Amino acid sequence: MSLRRAVLGGVLSVLVVAHIEAATADSLTDLSAAIRAEFPEVSIMTTQEWAEGMKDALRPVPILLDVREEREYAVSHQPEALRAESDPVAQLRRLGASSRTSVVVYCSVGYRSALLARKLSQAGFSNVRNLEGSIFAWANEGRPLVNSHGPTDGVHPFDVRWGRYLEKSKWHWKPVISSLR
């Protein structure tokens, strides 16, 4: 990928994120609706559906990809989640996934994972779903999280702006908020 294309892609992503944030109200539910509107071609799975599916021993377990940055994933992630690599298509192929393999993707709120779901669908994977509300919804509902040391309940809030969708008691760190005068 050329540097120009990468820069343009980054700028476009920032503009789209700014658009989605500007269109949202104060709740994760409203943000999820804005993400669905921005990505109508991306199939979703609710956290309830995911939790119920995990209990069904007869169903094949989908590949679960966490799209967040390494520092976010290190704080906590869903049990059995793999962190998406820089080339998730190649990663899925190395894992033996076919075009029909069930894949569920998540990030903090569902935006970055919607982008990945779109990319995977365009690469020929036909059974990809975005976890609606992503890890923030999962954590807010009190569902299980782990890190390299075992169970945890803290989540990386990304930053203060996006962290407003995560219950403050779930934040693994408390940001220093200073006023600029």
Side-chain angles (χ1 to χ4, degrees), residues 1-176:
M1 175 186 304
S2 73
L3 177 60
R4 179 178 178 205
R5 190 169 168 196
V7 169
L8 287 175
V11 169
L12 180 60
S13 291
V14 167
L15 291 174
V16 171
V17 168
H19 167 73
I20 283 182
E21 185 171 9
T24 64
D26 294 324
S27 73
L28 184 55
T29 300
D30 291 339
L31 179 60
S32 294
I35 292 169
R36 281 193 315 271
E38 189 73 29
F39 299 93
E41 75 284 8
V42 171
S43 297
I44 63 163
M45 173 179 275
T46 67
T47 52
Q48 180 68 34
E49 290 170 325
W50 178 244
E52 290 301 316
M54 289 173 48
K55 294 177 189 175
D56 186 351
L58 300 177
R59 283 176 82 185
V61 177
I63 294 174
L64 180 62
L65 290 181
D66 185 321
V67 182
R68 298 173 305 145
E69 296 174 10
E70 188 173 341
R71 64 191 170 102
E72 295 171 275
Y73 181 87
V75 169
S76 65
H77 50 272
Q78 287 193 25
E80 308 303 323
L82 302 172
R83 189 171 162 278
E85 297 174 358
S86 60
D87 185 351
V89 172
Q91 179 183 17
L92 289 173
R93 292 201 171 112
R94 275 195 317 279
L95 292 170
S98 72
S99 63
R100 295 169 33 111
T101 299
S102 182
V103 179
V104 176
V105 295
Y106 74 90
C107 60
S108 294
V109 297
Y111 183 79
R112 290 177 284 177
S113 50
L115 285 170
L116 179 58
R118 176 190 282 166
K119 178 180 179 177
L120 293 175
S121 293
Q122 291 170 343
F125 291 92
S126 61
N127 194 7
V128 178
R129 293 195 280 170
N130 187 21
L131 186 64
E132 189 169 50
S134 284
I135 201 166
F136 284 8
W138 187 260
N140 288 344
E141 294 165 0
R143 299 190 189 275
L145 297 167
V146 297
N147 61 26
S148 62
H149 304 292
T152 186
D153 60 359
V155 177
H156 194 296
F158 191 76
D159 64 21
V160 174
R161 180 181 59 201
W162 292 104
R164 72 179 186 244
Y165 300 110
L166 177 65
E167 290 179 14
K168 297 289 187 248
S169 65
K170 305 289 184 189
W171 285 35
H172 88 285
W173 54 268
K174 307 299 181 230
V176 175

